[in-house]
Amino acid sequence: MDEQKLPFVVRKTENKGFGLFATKDLNAGDEILVEEPLVSCQFAWNKLYKYLACDYCMKSLETAESMSQRLTENRSLSLPHPECCERNVAITVQCPQCEITYCSTSCRDKAFTEYHQILCPHSQYCSPEGLEQLDETWRNIHYPPETATVWLLAKIMTRVKMEKNKAEFISYIEEFCHQCKNESEEIVHKLLGDQFKDQLHMLREQLKSLFYSDDIAHWFTVEGFEKLFALLGTNQQGIGSSALSVWVHNCDNLDLPDGQRDQLDTFIDKLYEDLEKVSGSFLNCEGAGLYRVQSKCNHSCAPNAEVSFLHNDHRLTVKAINDVAAGEEITISYLSECELNRSRHSRQKHLRENYLFTCWCKKCQAQNGDPDVTSDEDSEDDMDDT
């Protein structure tokens, strides 16, 4: 995109680092940003459980029907309106060496250029046993539901080897690594638990044996690796794709007579009930990515924009959910919708524990006189922890 025509500008704020600010009046629903990540990948457990996704862009590779059959454990399930499924399995392509799968030749070529010629198990550059051991180590210390993945770091280190302008790419990554030592340690502890020091040492040594280069030697010091690892807790953005969700969305847009609409809606409601019974709430191909611009978008408990994945892949979209005046900061929520509806004290507790800052947005300022007590849900969580 032409930077002169962007609807926002990135600039330094007084006390929150960088932020995104509107360069013109924006209306609710306006698209502010579409961005591809520096790196992205599927979660390790998600991949192990056969959630099929493109290894490059994370697009779901199953048809809606096959995904529903797997997640309901009902192989005879048949979905109506197959024309609403956009997944064409005929155009799926694979690496000719290891058969890792991509949604297109374009994604396969990008993957090969950026990382796969090193990460391919049949590559001369990397030990397949070492890659398997790293995957097993990570899964053994980070159980579902997953909130991070060490494979982001593996892809970052691989891309350093592949990049022509290594210094520039390293500088992009180090924009994320701004915590002081105590903050980094707190984030790592949150991600890995009480044994984090031993686990962090093990991960550092395994990654070092696979991806060390002089360009990033400082990332393999104790403090350097801790800072690098901490970016998983504060800057990675969750990604989800689902052929089933696309099918449901397209079904919702069908122009049907009332009787057929009611019948289809009843079928979809029953399908989701069956999915929840068998697979719970983990229905998507899930992973994470690092987004250079979006990561500079600050939090508000009353945000004027939101992040979504409208393309069913790793491309991220930031859209306005309220009108935004020129010069106004563009903000998103780091909290879920449920968390946003909790008390000011509960919201700030979550943000301090997970992002290491105290929110002072307009909503928090307006509720400053409220009692410093957590919501009922958090009180129950606190009792469970004791």
Side-chain angles (χ1 to χ4, degrees):
M1 294 179 67
D2 185 348
E3 290 190 4
Q4 299 299 319
K5 297 181 180 178
L6 288 174
F8 66 88
V9 64
V10 177
R11 71 168 185 251
K12 192 84 171 176
T13 66
E14 185 176 343
N15 54 10
K16 295 186 293 186
F18 289 95
L20 269 59
F21 293 82
T23 55
K24 63 179 183 179
D25 291 342
L26 301 171
N27 298 318
D30 283 354
E31 190 175 274
I32 300 170
L33 168 70
V34 177
E35 184 179 15
E36 292 196 9
L38 290 171
V39 290
S40 66
C41 59
Q42 192 176 2
F43 287 142
W45 282 100
N46 193 267
K47 191 172 186 177
L48 186 70
Y49 286 145
K50 306 300 182 186
Y51 288 78
L52 302 180
C54 174
D55 190 64
Y56 184 78
C57 77
M58 278 195 59
K59 179 174 286 187
S60 178
L61 295 182
E62 296 174 279
T63 64
E65 185 167 275
S66 62
M67 191 174 197
S68 300
Q69 290 173 348
R70 178 173 58 82
L71 292 171
T72 60
E73 297 181 352
N74 178 4
R75 294 298 174 183
S76 64
L77 178 64
S78 177
L79 299 188
H81 299 286
E83 71 278 8
C84 289
C85 177
E86 296 180 4
R87 183 69 218 129
N88 182 359
V89 296
I91 63 172
T92 299
V93 298
Q94 294 180 319
C95 167
Q97 300 297 321
C98 69
E99 297 184 352
I100 280 178
T101 311
Y102 303 92
C103 69
S104 64
T105 54
S106 174
C107 278
R108 183 181 64 184
D109 294 345
K110 289 178 183 177
F112 186 79
T113 300
E114 293 181 12
Y115 62 85
H116 189 66
Q117 61 181 291
I118 289 178
L119 288 182
C120 178
H122 297 284
S123 164
Q124 61 177 318
Y125 303 104
C126 234
S127 158
E129 294 81 11
L131 295 174
E132 289 177 10
Q133 183 59 51
L134 178 65
D135 196 52
E136 185 176 343
T137 297
W138 178 252
R139 285 189 281 106
N140 285 339
I141 63 178
H142 197 79
Y143 293 98
E146 293 171 276
T147 57
T149 174
V150 74
W151 287 103
L152 274 183
L153 301 187
K155 283 193 174 179
I156 287 170
M157 294 170 183
T158 305
R159 280 205 62 178
V160 170
K161 291 178 177 288
M162 301 295 300
E163 286 291 321
K164 292 180 179 179
N165 192 337
K166 300 180 190 301
E168 182 180 61
F169 183 76
I170 291 169
S171 72
Y172 290 163
I173 298 303
E174 291 184 346
E175 289 177 6
F176 297 102
C177 305
H178 50 72
Q179 292 87 10
C180 68
K181 186 178 188 310
N182 289 342
E183 289 175 333
S184 296
E185 187 169 295
E186 188 175 341
I187 295 166
V188 176
H189 186 191
K190 182 78 175 177
L191 284 172
L192 298 180
D194 291 339
Q195 304 300 316
F196 74 94
K197 288 187 177 180
D198 291 340
Q199 294 168 345
L200 200 63
H201 173 76
M202 183 164 44
L203 291 170
R204 177 167 62 94
E205 290 303 308
Q206 289 182 2
L207 285 166
K208 184 177 181 180
S209 69
L210 289 165
F211 306 116
Y212 178 87
S213 71
D214 291 340
D215 300 291
I216 54 173
H218 58 294
W219 286 354
F220 293 104
T221 65
V222 172
E223 185 172 345
F225 188 71
E226 200 169 79
K227 279 192 170 186
L228 185 69
F229 192 89
L231 72 82
L232 299 182
T234 55
N235 289 109
Q236 68 168 11
Q237 169 67 49
I239 301 170
S241 69
S242 169
L244 177 58
S245 294
V246 173
W247 175 81
V248 171
H249 175 75
N250 290 337
C251 283
D252 288 342
N253 292 330
L254 290 174
D255 184 14
L256 298 173
D258 289 345
Q260 291 183 33
R261 167 57 59 192
D262 292 343
Q263 187 177 15
L264 179 58
D265 289 345
T266 299
F267 178 90
I268 292 173
D269 288 343
K270 177 63 166 58
L271 173 61
Y272 274 108
E273 287 177 12
D274 294 342
L275 289 166
E276 186 172 0
K277 287 177 185 176
V278 177
S279 299
S281 58
F282 303 104
L283 305 182
N284 296 339
C285 298
E286 295 183 336
L290 289 178
Y291 296 84
R292 190 169 177 234
V293 178
Q294 178 267 338
S295 68
K296 294 178 174 63
C297 199
N298 288 312
H299 165 84
S300 171
C301 296
N304 54 26
E306 67 179 5
V307 170
S308 57
F309 291 88
L310 304 178
H311 304 280
N312 198 38
D313 59 19
H314 67 188
R315 281 175 293 172
L316 171 149
T317 301
V318 177
K319 294 184 72 172
I321 55 175
N322 298 314
D323 293 345
V324 183
E328 185 179 350
E329 184 173 9
I330 298 164
T331 57
I332 60 175
S333 173
Y334 297 174
L335 304 174
S336 68
E337 186 174 348
C338 178
E339 290 163 341
L340 277 178
N341 291 325
R342 294 182 177 179
S343 69
R344 175 190 60 86
H345 188 71
S346 296
R347 298 194 310 271
Q348 294 193 344
K349 176 175 178 284
H350 182 94
L351 291 166
R352 280 194 301 271
E353 289 179 352
N354 291 276
Y355 299 97
L356 307 184
F357 71 87
T358 298
C359 183
W360 199 238
C361 67
K362 291 180 180 179
K363 182 175 179 179
C364 287
Q365 290 182 54
Q367 297 176 345
N368 190 41
D370 292 355
D372 284 339
V373 294
T374 57
S375 301
D376 292 341
E377 298 94 334
D378 288 324
S379 298
E380 292 172 6
D381 292 342
D382 292 341
M383 291 179 64
D384 291 340
D385 292 339
T386 58

